[in-house]
Structures are given as C-alpha cells and as structure tokens.
Amino acid sequence: LYRARYLALLVTGENHPELALIDSNIGLILHAVGEYDISLRFLEKALQLNLTYHGPKSLKVAVSYHLVARTQSCMGDFRSALTNEKETFTIYKTQLGEEHDKTKESGECLRHLTQQAVVLQKKMNDIYQGKTKAGLPPIQIQPPSMGSVLDMLNIINGILFVQISQQDIENFKKEYEMRQKDGPSPKKAEIEGDTTKALKMDSEEKSCSPEGSPEVESSQSPAVEAS
C-alpha cells in the first residue's frame, strides 16, 4: 500500500480522491496492528480529501469520521473521538434515518465513548482535588478484532456480502422441491400449449400449399409437354 500511494502521488499528486481510499486502507491496517499515531495521520488525511471531493453529507465522509474516532478512542482522546463520532451519527441520521442499522451502531458507539470519557474525567478530577494519591491509571485499550478490521476494509473498498443463513438455504430447498412436485406452472403450460398449436397449424398449411400438392404437379406436366 505504501508503494501504491507513492506511485499515485507521482501520477496524480496529493489532492486526488483515490488517495483518500489508499490512505483509509493504510490507516485501518496500522490501526489493526496498534500503530495509532501513524494511523491517525493517514485517516485524517483521508477525511480531508473525502470532505473536499464528496461534501460534508457524504456517507464516505461518515465512515472517515468513524475511523478517526475509533483511533482517537484507542489513544485515550475520548473528547475528540466523541466530536468525530457525532459527525458520523449526524450524517447517518440525515441520510439514512434514525431506524437504520448504521445510525443505531453509531449511537451505540457514542454512548460507549461518553461512558469512557466520564470515567476518565472523574478519575482526573479525583487526582487534581487530592482525593487520591494514585496516578492516572493506564487506559485499557481493547485491540480491534480481525473480523471488525475485515468488515471495515470491505466497507471502505465497496465490497458487500449478502448474509444468507442456513435456515434461508433450507427454506429455498423446500420451496424448490415443492415446485418440482407440483409440475409446471399454469402460465408455462399455456405457453407450451400455444407453441404446440402453432407448430401443428404450420404443418397443416404446408401440406395444403400448391408446392406440396402432387395433383398440381401432375396437371402441370402435360401443359409443359404441349408447349
């Protein structure tokens, strides 16, 4: 990806929408391996490019805001993460509606970030007020699972999968077997009947035509001889 970015810079320069996609991929991979500082730089660059070329209400921009917020939360910057995730939630709510899964997921992420920010702020206040002599505890960062990383890679690269459960497959098999037992549908039978009827009429017309009549041939032959 670094090489792809270098070649893209040589061809298109820094301000090109394709660079946003490359930077998003690089930032997400770096995020997956715990390189949050470098990851944030690439993701913020991708966000600025998406804002420039797709506008502030684009779903691409919403995904970029979310990726930046995820990385900032892993760095303990919950205030900035909340600000960016609010942008994601606003775009999803406006474009997709409150009942959409993406809007609900973003709302759940906002609640989680708010809880983390409140806990961190409370501990910091206790330290400043002298209520505790212990230092600020280390931030508990849960590394992203490989499944979540792959899901985000599919989203930013436009790869969609249709989820089909085993129950859906079984239902399809049963419906197919029932249709096979019931025979062809009435419409199909009607079409086949019309086709058979048309072929039969065509054959009758050929048998009655002058070219196919042996009597006409015999009556024409004396005339030819007389001439």
Side-chain angles (χ1 to χ4, degrees):
L1 284 174
Y2 281 139
R3 180 170 299 219
R5 190 179 194 278
Y6 172 72
L7 294 174
L9 284 173
L10 293 178
V11 176
T12 65
E14 290 188 358
N15 294 318
H16 194 276
E18 284 300 322
L19 272 179
L21 179 60
I22 296 174
D23 286 348
S24 295
N25 279 275
I26 293 175
L28 189 54
I29 295 300
L30 290 171
H31 174 83
V33 297
E35 296 290 341
Y36 302 122
D37 291 329
I38 307 176
S39 170
L40 185 60
R41 289 167 54 191
F42 282 101
L43 293 176
E44 287 178 336
K45 179 64 176 178
L47 173 60
Q48 293 303 318
L49 287 173
N50 281 328
L51 282 168
T52 301
Y53 288 99
H54 301 289
K57 297 181 180 180
S58 170
L59 296 178
K60 290 180 180 291
V61 173
V63 174
S64 287
Y65 273 123
H66 176 67
L67 293 177
V68 170
R70 278 173 35 138
T71 304
Q72 289 171 334
S73 67
C74 289
M75 299 171 65
D77 189 0
F78 296 110
R79 180 173 297 180
S80 298
L82 271 170
T83 301
N84 286 299
E85 190 61 36
K86 284 179 182 177
E87 295 290 343
T88 299
F89 179 80
T90 301
I91 295 172
Y92 282 151
K93 183 179 178 181
T94 303
Q95 300 293 335
L96 305 176
E98 294 184 4
E99 299 302 320
H100 196 275
D101 290 341
K102 289 296 182 183
T103 308
K104 293 180 179 179
E105 288 176 7
S106 181
E108 186 63 31
C109 184
L110 278 176
R111 284 189 288 273
H112 174 72
L113 290 173
T114 301
Q115 292 174 358
Q116 295 293 323
V118 169
V119 170
L120 181 61
Q121 187 63 45
K122 184 178 179 181
K123 291 179 179 179
M124 292 177 64
N125 290 339
D126 290 342
I127 295 174
Y128 294 150
Q129 295 173 6
K131 295 181 179 180
T132 178
K133 294 182 180 180
L136 191 65
I139 301 172
Q140 299 295 325
I141 299 175
Q142 183 178 0
S145 64
M146 185 57 65
S148 66
V149 172
L150 291 176
D151 288 341
M152 290 306 302
L153 283 172
N154 291 332
I155 290 173
I156 63 178
N157 290 287
I159 301 173
L160 301 178
F161 292 95
V162 179
Q163 299 294 332
I164 301 178
S165 65
Q166 186 63 32
Q167 186 62 39
D168 293 333
I169 297 175
E170 295 297 328
N171 293 337
F172 175 78
K173 287 182 179 179
K174 290 179 181 179
E175 183 178 354
Y176 179 77
E177 291 173 358
M178 289 177 61
R179 291 188 179 184
Q180 290 296 317
K181 291 179 181 179
D182 294 340
S185 62
K187 187 174 181 180
K188 183 178 180 182
E190 182 181 349
I191 293 173
E192 291 178 351
D194 292 342
T195 304
T196 305
K197 185 177 179 180
L199 291 174
K200 185 177 180 181
M201 291 177 63
D202 185 58
S203 62
E204 289 177 355
E205 289 176 358
K206 288 183 178 179
S207 64
C208 296
S209 63
E211 295 179 356
S213 175
E215 295 181 359
V216 175
E217 291 180 0
S218 60
S219 62
Q220 287 180 350
S221 57
V224 174
E225 292 176 0
S227 62

